[in-house]
Amino acid sequence: MIKEKVILVGCQLQTMEDDHFQYSMDELASLTKTANGEVLIDCIQKRDRPHPATYIGKGKAEELLNLVEELEPDIVIFNDELSPSQLRNLATILNVRIIDRTQLILDIFAQRAKSKEGKLQVELAQLQYLLPRLAGQGISLSRQGGGIGTRGPGETQLETDRRHIRNRIHEIKQQLATVVSHRNRYRERRKKNQAFQIALVGYTNAGKSTIFNRLTTAGSFEEDLLFATLDPMTRKVLFPSNYQALITDTVGFIQDLPTTLVAAFRSTLEEVKEANLILHIVDSSNEDYANHEQTVYKLLEELEITDIPILMVYNKIDDAPGSFVPSSKEDYIRITAFSKDDLKVLMNRVENFAKDVMNHYYVQIPTDEGRMISQLKTESLIDKLIFNEEKEVYEIEGFVLPSHSINGQLEKFAKRG
């Protein structure tokens, strides 16, 4: 696949520290790589605030025009969300295809979406982004063909008028409502099955899918790319005690995530709301890890996920710089996803946490209650199971979720014992 040649443009505002701005530009380069682009050069300007008409100043725009004429890039990508008028003015000046950070992220999501819901949500976000920008992008939108920033809804829709796009948005919302109701039914079924649920969240490329795959052997897409996972995936995971829990891998978070995407993926991240425990995976080899943590917390707040316990998991600790210091004041663990021993330690921590939130029980069950014994083996976390020959009963000690329907039966056997 031929890579597209790209010039990146960034505007460092007074309020932005040098390090933070550089990380942001590095991230834009990573996003470009994920979208199959090759960065030719960065074009950077320091300003008090973005120019209202062209984002960068007049002199910088001329400098950028010279770079475009000299390097002949396929596309120029801006490290911010451009207004419709800025997009229009820059297209007139530079005479080259221009997209902003938001459109680049939307484009990557369009490549990554595999499920029907994921594709619908990406299309919805793209159309909502494009609607106010139709006039400014008329020339580039009418051009057929692929390339960064053109994947997704399909050019025919983008060439039509606003009314057509509004109709399409309405259609997608109706289809999504159906898909969401299906998922709610699955979720209700899972609730009835009463499994302990774990959700993996974290900044994009923190290693969530790697951990997910090592724990479940599920084969979730795993690569050193931003947004390698888009569609949430739930699988069974075994605790050291052989108790069967559920674990969900979610889409990676990113700073300055387009608001259209936060809204569109709200339902995708609903899975997290059902969790008994959130594992917040942090890439400790990334020097901007503290900012990544804050981005995740901020987005969890936006999604109103604030009352679920979180265990911080600092991943890639073997590549962490010497200066790395865990910033979490809460419970945390340091691991390398490729170490079996580290994953065992992680699962022991998760199991101990599960025990803390479950009800402890001790029962003596007669041998003719085979069904009850079988149910306890599959639906509770068993610490001890021995056969008492003298009494001809099974002595079972373990833990069960407080909301599980089996609690009532356990009380009966506990009284007998």
Side-chain angles (χ1 to χ4, degrees):
M1 202 175 184
I2 299 167
K3 290 184 182 292
E4 289 182 90
K5 294 181 289 180
V6 179
I7 292 178
L8 303 182
V9 183
C11 202
Q12 184 178 355
L13 307 181
Q14 270 188 336
T15 53
M16 205 179 276
E17 291 176 11
D18 289 353
D19 281 356
H20 183 58
F21 177 71
Q22 191 51 53
Y23 293 140
S24 178
M25 289 300 293
D26 290 346
E27 189 169 81
L28 187 69
S30 295
L31 286 165
T32 304
K33 176 194 166 196
T34 301
N36 201 43
E38 180 192 346
V39 178
L40 300 175
I41 196 168
D42 288 357
C43 183
I44 290 164
Q45 182 176 38
K46 290 189 178 185
R47 287 183 67 85
D48 293 345
R49 63 180 193 277
H51 193 288
T54 52
Y55 180 72
I56 49 177
K58 190 183 172 187
K60 204 62 168 176
E62 285 174 10
E63 186 187 318
L64 183 56
L65 176 61
N66 291 335
L67 281 172
V68 167
E69 287 172 349
E70 181 191 339
L71 300 173
E72 297 181 349
D74 299 296
I75 191 165
V76 175
I77 302 176
F78 283 75
N79 190 26
D80 217 328
E81 187 167 317
L82 299 175
S83 70
S85 60
Q86 286 172 336
L87 206 54
R88 192 163 53 244
N89 295 335
L90 285 163
T92 306
I93 295 166
L94 300 174
N95 195 28
V96 69
R97 198 151 55 88
I98 293 165
I99 65 168
D100 58 19
R101 182 188 175 90
T102 299
Q103 206 172 344
L104 178 62
I105 291 171
L106 288 170
D107 183 76
I108 292 165
F109 272 63
Q111 292 180 55
R112 295 269 175 258
K114 295 287 181 285
S115 70
K116 183 184 177 184
E117 183 186 9
K119 287 175 181 174
L120 284 171
Q121 285 176 322
V122 171
E123 185 177 348
L124 176 63
Q126 285 183 312
L127 292 173
Q128 286 172 332
Y129 169 82
L130 286 163
L131 193 54
R133 293 169 172 80
L134 277 180
Q137 294 209 2
I139 300 164
S140 60
L141 290 178
S142 64
R143 189 165 51 185
Q144 297 291 323
I148 296 172
T150 64
R151 280 170 283 248
E155 274 61 42
T156 52
Q157 281 149 6
L158 307 183
E159 289 162 358
T160 55
D161 60 10
R162 285 187 171 87
R163 186 169 53 82
H164 189 114
I165 287 185
R166 284 199 186 100
N167 288 343
R168 181 65 187 141
I169 286 173
H170 180 65
E171 276 173 36
I172 293 170
K173 283 181 174 174
Q174 285 181 320
Q175 288 180 46
L176 276 173
T178 310
V179 175
V180 169
S181 71
H182 282 314
R183 189 139 46 78
N184 285 341
R185 282 203 290 278
Y186 282 127
R187 208 181 285 142
E188 286 305 314
R189 206 177 300 155
R190 283 217 301 267
K191 262 187 181 173
K192 279 179 188 164
N193 293 343
Q194 290 294 339
F196 185 87
Q197 295 185 42
I198 306 156
L200 298 175
V201 303
Y203 205 79
T204 181
N205 208 28
K208 294 183 298 301
S209 295
T210 305
I211 291 171
F212 182 77
N213 287 341
R214 297 294 176 278
L215 294 177
T216 66
T217 60
S220 175
F221 184 71
E222 177 192 314
E223 204 173 327
D224 185 19
L225 291 172
L226 301 187
F227 299 120
T229 303
L230 183 57
D231 300 307
M233 186 184 275
T234 301
R235 290 287 182 271
K236 290 170 182 170
V237 61
L238 281 180
F239 282 7
S241 62
N242 280 332
Y243 171 71
Q244 199 167 265
L246 292 174
I247 189 165
T248 300
D249 189 15
T250 61
V251 61
F253 293 26
I254 194 165
Q255 61 189 357
D256 308 319
L257 187 68
T259 47
T260 48
L261 270 181
V262 174
F265 282 83
R266 189 177 289 273
S267 59
T268 310
L269 290 162
E270 288 286 320
E271 297 288 331
V272 180
K273 288 188 176 180
E274 301 302 318
N276 300 96
L277 173 67
I278 291 173
L279 297 183
H280 178 177
I281 315 299
V282 181
D283 176 0
S284 52
S285 69
N286 190 305
E287 291 184 1
D288 203 26
Y289 69 92
N291 253 326
H292 293 182
E293 280 179 39
Q294 292 313 310
T295 299
V296 172
Y297 279 125
K298 190 176 153 198
L299 277 164
L300 285 174
E301 268 178 44
E302 278 181 42
L303 294 161
E304 295 164 8
I305 300 167
T306 51
D307 55 351
I308 299 169
I310 294 176
L311 171 63
M312 296 289 285
V313 180
Y314 289 101
N315 188 28
K316 309 185 189 182
I317 204 69
D318 51 334
D319 288 332
S323 58
F324 172 78
V325 177
S327 46
S328 173
K329 294 177 179 64
E330 297 167 34
D331 208 9
Y332 70 84
I333 185 169
R334 296 160 70 154
I335 69 159
T336 299
F338 294 103
S339 161
K340 282 184 180 176
D341 290 341
D342 283 5
L343 291 179
K344 275 181 192 168
V345 172
L346 172 63
M347 287 314 293
N348 277 320
R349 279 292 273 280
V350 171
E351 179 167 288
N352 288 335
F353 172 85
K355 287 178 180 177
D356 287 343
V357 298
M358 287 173 154
N359 289 343
H360 175 261
Y361 70 84
Y362 169 78
V363 287
Q364 294 183 4
I365 299 181
T367 51
D368 59 356
E369 291 281 357
R371 191 174 169 189
M372 184 65 183
I373 295 164
S374 172
Q375 196 177 354
L376 284 175
K377 281 181 178 176
T378 54
E379 295 178 32
S380 79
L381 195 162
I382 292 179
D383 248 3
K384 189 175 80 173
L385 191 156
I386 53 171
F387 182 62
N388 185 324
E389 289 182 20
E390 211 174 289
K391 294 183 180 178
E392 290 201 343
V393 294
Y394 284 96
E395 292 182 24
I396 306 175
E397 189 174 357
F399 299 83
V400 66
L401 284 166
S403 55
H404 201 298
S405 56
I406 206 171
N407 280 295
Q409 292 162 271
L410 284 169
E411 278 179 31
K412 287 188 290 186
F413 286 107
K415 282 171 188 168
R416 282 189 204 176

